[in-house]
Amino acid sequence: MPPSPTSHPAPNPLVERCQEIARHETKLREGGGAEGLARQHKLGRLFARERIQALVDDPDKFLEVGLWAAEGMYLEWGKFPAAGVVTGVAAISGQACMIIANDATVKAGAFVPMTCKKVLRAQRIAFECNLPLVYLVDSAGVFLPMQDEIFPDEDDFGRIFRNNAVISAAGIPQYAAIMGNCVAGGAYLPVLCDKILMTEGSGLYLAGPQLVKAAIGQETDTETLGGAAMHAEISGTVDYKEKDDAAAIKRLRSLVALLPSAKGAAEPTAAAGGAAPEFPASRIYELVSLDGRKEYDVRDLIRCLVDTGSIDEAKADFGKSLVCAYARLGGTPVGIVANQRQRVQSKTAGLQMPGVIYADSADKAARFIMDCNQGRVPLIFLQDVSGFMVGKDAEQSGIIRSGAKMVNALSNSTVPKLTVITGGSFGAGNYAMCGKAFDPRFIFAWPHARYAVMGAAQASDVVFNILSRSAKDKSPAELDALRAKVKADYVEHTDIRYGAARGWVDAIIQPHDTRAVLLRALELSNRPAPKARFHTGVIQV
């Protein structure tokens, strides 16, 4: 007999259980609650889930993993909702990524055993599904009252960092944005990632000021010890210093958008086409002089070539004699390595001269080249280089070691490389900036480019000194004539037409045609690689 209109249907136990679980999950997603949320906002920082919501394309499609981790555990120390870390998969700039975000509202984001287990599981999923990883770091490190259960074993804290290295070696991109605390052993996680962002007011150090004072008696403050400015300008550890969470999230989205599509096609995930350059091509002739002595900011030259608003400069405040930047060229992601053509000031080395590669710049470029290979981003070299810095200070800074590092990274690079000689190309600088010996797909030069082992003035003096030793019977006038002839010969040999005649460059191009030429060369270079194998038909023996 059907129920009367006034009667209520019998409760469904399954529905009630589902509703109970849903309510509990809503509570778990609140993290440390209103008090913790208010504390984050007071510091000018977002809640972990607010960060994820701003980062991903569609927050409703965030596939969360491990929400119930640590529920009902460690009650003697209080509650640890979701184990103090949010993990899950969502699309960022069209690219499916695994996101691991510390929740600083839960015990300052400190790690308990289940936090480790949850992060390790997220890393495993990312590894097996070939998903880029994005770490939003805001953690006080190990939860010290439980350190014996977190620190030592093979599936504990250290395994996370081991996985960072293994994942990187497998070619899976990893991004870390430090958006608060990142201390002690936990400081290794972002530094083992491919790209590191850090917001102002955050801290990255192995030991905080109090521990430093207790350990070695040194008094310091958080900013000097491990602030964003220090790591951007002095240690060179972070790639991008950002004002706040919003800026860091915007940068993350821009960097992830550089990745190739999931199918491995050459075209970018974002729509191709690209915007016109910020500056007209005619601006190049205002920046660059015929003799190459005029100083200018190479970033202005880059803005004459790449799509408007697409530049993401890496380590902008470190190793300033080289500019390393991601950008788009006709909508296609590229990495650019360019010699800076104006004097710059280093926080550690003082004044640095235009067109010279210093140790810090070589270190920066080596990492950038490796990172472009990790993300399968083609490289463009804008070469106007006098060579590596020489002298006692340079040698003591390890210039040979740093230069070798850059050359090694370049030599083993597998992404397409394009080179444009926009001025001088001298000595080992030619090698490090992808000269002909380092397999650029195409190498172009501007009409005023110069190409030699060293500048004409220095080289001709050396050659003259050698020749004059065997010409002691010559008069001063004859020696002057010899000096003039040696210099004239050397100048002729440095002329790019001399090099082009010998196949050192593929073409001499007009400066205003550079973008168009690079677009065509990039299109050709990004064609699928041939899948050749050795085989023959039947051979008569």
Side-chain angles (χ1 to χ4, degrees):
M1 177 175 155
S4 65
T6 57
S7 65
H8 297 285
N12 185 319
L14 177 57
V15 171
E16 290 182 339
R17 172 59 63 86
C18 291
Q19 291 172 343
E20 177 191 349
I21 292 291
R23 287 192 296 271
H24 199 145
E25 289 190 340
T26 298
K27 188 69 177 174
L28 289 173
R29 290 189 176 97
E30 293 175 1
E35 188 177 331
L37 182 64
R39 185 169 59 251
Q40 279 290 99
H41 289 172
K42 186 176 180 180
L43 291 169
R45 298 171 185 164
L46 297 175
F47 174 44
R49 293 181 184 275
E50 292 175 328
R51 289 169 174 165
I52 292 171
Q53 189 169 21
L55 177 64
V56 304
D57 297 346
D58 186 351
D60 292 335
K61 293 184 179 178
F62 178 57
L63 177 61
E64 187 161 358
V65 177
L67 176 60
W68 286 81
E71 178 59 15
M73 301 172 69
Y74 323 125
L75 295 179
E76 66 272 31
W77 303 110
K79 293 184 178 181
F80 290 85
V85 64
V86 183
T87 61
V89 180
I92 302 171
S93 299
Q95 181 77 240
C97 297
M98 172 62 77
I99 300 167
I100 299 174
N102 300 116
D103 184 354
T105 70
V106 180
K107 300 290 191 293
F111 277 62
V112 292
M114 280 306 301
T115 316
C116 295
K117 190 169 184 177
K118 183 172 174 177
V119 171
L120 291 172
R121 176 59 182 158
Q123 288 181 321
R124 185 183 182 97
I125 291 171
F127 184 80
E128 294 183 346
C129 297
N130 194 20
L131 294 171
L133 284 121
V134 177
Y135 303 88
L136 306 181
V137 183
D138 192 354
S139 170
V142 166
F143 185 64
L144 288 177
M146 302 183 71
Q147 64 86 25
D148 60 320
E149 299 180 54
I150 302 165
F151 168 69
D153 216 336
E154 66 183 53
D155 57 352
D156 285 343
F157 201 46
R159 187 75 172 186
I160 295 171
F161 316 134
R162 174 266 185 195
N163 285 354
N164 285 138
V166 170
I167 290 168
S168 183
I172 299 173
Q174 296 179 94
Y175 306 79
I178 303 166
M179 305 166 108
N181 289 318
C182 185
V183 300
Y188 289 107
L189 183 148
V191 182
L192 286 163
C193 291
D194 306 333
K195 296 183 181 70
I196 310 170
L197 295 76
M198 188 173 181
T199 58
E200 294 176 6
S202 296
L204 172 66
Y205 35 72
L206 293 177
Q210 292 180 337
L211 184 54
V212 167
K213 184 175 181 181
I216 63 173
Q218 184 182 76
E219 292 196 11
T220 184
D221 60 83
T222 302
E223 281 298 316
T224 305
L225 187 65
M230 190 284 287
H231 282 304
E233 299 174 20
I234 298 175
S235 78
T237 300
V238 304
D239 301 310
Y240 303 92
K241 182 184 73 172
E242 304 296 342
K243 180 176 176 56
D244 52 25
D245 284 12
I249 288 167
K250 181 180 179 182
R251 178 83 70 180
L252 273 174
R253 287 186 55 81
S254 177
L255 293 172
V256 173
L258 296 170
L259 291 174
S261 67
K263 295 180 181 178
E267 61 270 12
T269 40
E278 181 179 349
F279 295 158
S282 59
R283 179 76 179 274
I284 295 173
Y285 297 99
E286 300 171 16
L287 296 172
V288 182
S289 63
L290 177 63
D291 62 9
R293 294 180 182 177
K294 181 179 176 181
E295 292 190 22
Y296 64 92
D297 189 340
V298 77
R299 297 179 186 89
D300 291 338
L301 171 57
I302 294 170
R303 290 187 179 98
C304 296
L305 304 176
V306 304
D307 303 352
T308 297
S310 68
I311 298 173
D312 284 307
E313 186 177 350
K315 298 188 189 297
D317 299 318
F318 180 80
K320 296 179 184 179
S321 72
L322 283 175
V323 170
C324 299
Y326 293 100
R328 287 184 180 273
L329 192 67
T332 300
V334 294
I336 297 172
V337 180
N339 297 108
Q340 179 56 280
R341 292 305 305 173
Q342 65 181 6
R343 277 170 274 201
V344 294
Q345 194 73 31
S346 164
K347 278 287 181 74
T348 55
L351 186 67
Q352 295 183 336
M353 301 305 291
V356 178
I357 302 176
Y358 293 78
D360 54 358
S361 303
D363 284 341
K364 176 173 83 169
R367 176 181 169 86
F368 184 78
I369 291 167
M370 289 188 284
D371 196 51
C372 286
N373 278 268
Q374 191 81 326
R376 307 306 304 160
V377 176
L379 279 157
I380 295 175
F381 292 83
L382 301 179
Q383 189 185 119
D384 188 355
V385 59
S386 304
F388 285 89
M389 189 58 188
V390 296
K392 182 184 71 174
D393 292 342
E395 299 294 356
Q396 291 180 357
S397 74
I399 187 67
I400 298 174
R401 181 183 66 245
S402 297
K405 193 186 305 180
M406 183 176 174
V407 169
N408 192 317
L410 179 65
S411 302
N412 289 289
S413 179
T414 57
V415 297
K417 301 185 292 287
L418 304 174
T419 300
V420 182
I421 304 172
T422 64
S425 179
F426 296 114
N430 167 275
Y431 304 156
M433 292 296 293
C434 200
K436 186 75 180 291
F438 289 81
D439 300 325
R441 298 283 175 92
F442 295 94
I443 181 167
F444 307 109
W446 285 356
H448 72 299
R450 290 158 296 135
Y451 214 129
V453 72
M454 66 178 74
Q458 304 94 316
S460 58
D461 278 350
V462 173
V463 174
F464 170 74
N465 288 335
I466 293 171
L467 294 176
S468 63
R469 288 174 195 159
S470 59
K472 294 179 180 178
D473 57 335
K474 292 186 179 293
S475 68
E478 289 174 320
L479 287 175
D480 287 344
L482 176 62
R483 181 189 292 274
K485 183 179 185 308
V486 166
K487 185 170 183 179
D489 289 345
Y490 198 88
V491 168
E492 179 188 345
H493 291 177
T494 64
D495 190 301
I496 196 59
R497 289 167 289 191
Y498 183 92
R502 287 153 180 78
W504 299 348
V505 297
D506 295 314
I508 299 174
I509 63 174
Q510 297 296 320
H512 61 268
D513 289 333
T514 304
R515 175 178 163 92
V517 170
L518 285 174
L519 282 168
R520 181 62 175 143
L522 191 61
E523 178 188 358
L524 296 170
S525 299
N526 270 335
R527 290 173 58 83
K531 296 179 180 178
R533 64 183 179 89
F534 177 76
H535 64 289
T536 69
V538 176
I539 298 177
Q540 184 70 14
V541 296

